[in-house]
Amino acid sequence: MSDDGSTVVHAFDTTTYALTVSNSDGSDSCTVKVTVEPPEQETPSCDSFTVSPTSLPYGGTVTLTWATTNADTVTTINQGIGTVSDDGSTTDSLLTQLRTR
């Protein structure tokens, strides 16, 4: 009869595992340590940021469009636009008025 075996364990923290065996004559144990490296942290990036149109009359409206990667928090756009989602677009005339004054 074999007492050999294996099991799959998903490790998220550094852990020491202990195996204890026994029979009528006694017992024994052994340990093994697995070191779990922290997940790689990827810096956020601004993949694209565009405006359309790029030229317009005073008071006109522009559309800003953006895409990001690895952003954990809500993004902000200056010039009074404020808080936006990590990816998206917004249409704004305030931006045009502020830049052309």
Side-chain angles (χ1 to χ4, degrees), residues 32-70:
V32 64
K33 180 178 180 178
V34 61
T35 302
V36 176
E37 301 293 331
E40 286 187 30
Q41 298 295 319
E42 296 185 24
T43 57
S45 65
C46 179
D47 301 327
S48 67
F49 189 41
T50 61
V51 62
S52 178
T54 58
S55 178
L56 65 153
Y58 179 80
T61 300
V62 296
T63 299
L64 299 170
T65 304
W66 61 93
T68 66
T69 301
N70 298 321

Side-chain angles (χ1 to χ4, degrees), residues 66 74-77 80-85:
W66 61 93
V74 175
T75 306
T76 60
I77 299 176
I81 304 299
T83 302
V84 295
S85 64

